[in-house]
Amino acid sequence: MNYNTLLLTTTEIGFQLLKNGAETYRVEDSVTHVLNAYSSKLTDINVFAIPTCLIVSFTTPDGRTYTKQKRVLNRLQNIDRIIQINALCRYVSANVPSLIYLDRELRRIENLGRYSPKMEILANSICACVFSVFYGGNVRDALTGFLIGGLLRFNTTLLKKFHMNSFTTIMFNSFIIAALAIFSYKIGFAARYDSIIIGCYMLLVPGVALTNAARDFIAGDVLSGTIRFVEAILVATSIALGSGLAVALLR
């Protein structure tokens, strides 16, 4: 058994899970199960995960200790990849394939294409449109929300090319949403700019981050839960700053 390869591969599993938004307890459990599957003689297996860092260590039968640390600098929310990596971990636990196969499957999952930009723009537009109606808007408000939602997705993709951090991007997007909603109201096209603003902001609200924070707290991962909760608060603050600035200037 090449323990160095085992360490690198299992660390990559945890890294991919964290990178795609998995809960920390899921990361630690998955990596531990894979390590036990490949060698039942490993001792002192320790997997420590927080949203921004992963540390994996174990001791081999001959008394040597292997440790690997990896930072998670950029994270996203991709539930499909999490599901596929979980399925791969279960397959490994049941069948114990070669490490080469495991690494190849990880690369395949990592390189899976996401939805096309056009599909993401359409999905954003539909969500903003529906939420605008849900919060009391009429047909014209729904149409305005549809257009702003699509522009929001396009703008987010554009800002990524300038390597702007997520909080600045969210603040800028919230400003754009409020400004366009108020402008459409002032020219007489929209009936209620508040419905449009709230409907479009639902695309920015960190609902998954808050849910994962609660699950981490319940699972006893207080540090991870705190980090996710603070991130959600910062996102909400960015939304408030952007919208407040737009309302103060344009209302």
Side-chain angles (χ1 to χ4, degrees):
M1 169 64 68
N2 188 327
Y3 291 111
N4 188 57
T5 302
L6 176 63
L7 176 66
L8 294 176
T9 305
T10 51
T11 302
E12 185 64 24
I13 291 175
F15 172 78
Q16 290 299 329
L17 285 170
L18 280 177
K19 179 181 176 181
N20 288 286
E23 306 91 329
T24 52
Y25 77 87
R26 185 189 303 274
V27 175
E28 294 173 350
D29 187 65
S30 296
V31 174
T32 301
H33 274 82
V34 172
L35 285 171
N36 285 323
Y38 279 102
S39 179
S40 59
K41 297 181 180 180
L42 296 178
T43 58
D44 200 23
I45 297 176
N46 287 288
V47 183
F48 175 75
I50 58 176
T52 57
C53 183
L54 173 68
I55 302 174
V56 180
S57 68
F58 57 79
T59 302
T60 60
D62 60 1
R64 297 184 62 183
T65 299
Y66 290 77
T67 303
K68 175 69 175 177
Q69 174 181 318
K70 196 163 186 177
R71 287 289 307 277
V72 185
L73 299 177
N74 297 307
R75 285 174 288 137
L76 48 88
Q77 195 67 44
N78 193 322
I79 298 177
D80 180 57
R81 287 184 184 174
I82 295 174
I83 292 173
Q84 294 205 41
I85 295 173
N86 276 339
L88 177 62
C89 292
R90 294 190 187 95
Y91 176 81
V92 167
S93 297
N95 300 280
V96 195
S98 67
L99 291 174
I100 296 175
Y101 171 85
L102 178 56
D103 183 70
R104 185 172 65 247
E105 284 297 297
L106 278 174
R107 299 305 171 191
R108 179 188 64 80
I109 295 172
E110 182 183 6
N111 294 324
L112 284 175
R114 302 187 68 181
Y115 292 107
S116 67
K118 291 182 180 179
M119 183 61 70
E120 290 183 351
I121 291 174
L122 178 61
N124 266 41
S125 297
I126 293 174
C127 288
C129 172
V130 172
F131 278 119
S132 296
V133 175
F134 180 81
Y135 287 107
N138 59 18
V139 176
R140 289 181 297 165
D141 297 333
L143 179 58
T144 304
F146 183 90
L147 296 174
I148 295 176
L151 179 63
L152 182 65
R153 179 70 257 179
F154 176 80
N155 187 59
T156 301
T157 303
L158 181 64
L159 291 177
K160 284 182 178 180
K161 296 181 179 179
F162 295 95
H163 304 288
M164 294 181 66
N165 64 69
S166 59
F167 302 114
T168 304
T169 300
I170 291 172
M171 185 170 64
F172 185 76
N173 282 336
S174 65
F175 177 86
I176 294 296
I177 290 171
L180 291 177
I182 294 172
F183 176 75
S184 66
Y185 171 77
K186 284 191 171 184
I187 64 175
F189 183 77
R192 294 185 57 181
Y193 65 83
D194 57 332
S195 298
I196 300 170
I197 292 175
I198 297 172
C200 292
Y201 279 175
M202 294 304 293
L203 300 172
L204 304 178
V205 171
V208 175
L210 283 172
T211 302
N212 285 344
R215 295 188 68 175
D216 285 337
F217 276 123
I218 293 172
D221 298 319
V222 178
L223 179 58
S224 295
T226 302
I227 291 173
R228 293 186 193 275
F229 182 74
V230 171
E231 285 181 340
I233 294 298
L234 289 175
V235 170
T237 303
S238 299
I239 295 173
L241 287 174
S243 61
L245 182 61
V247 171
L249 293 176
L250 303 174
R251 186 176 176 182

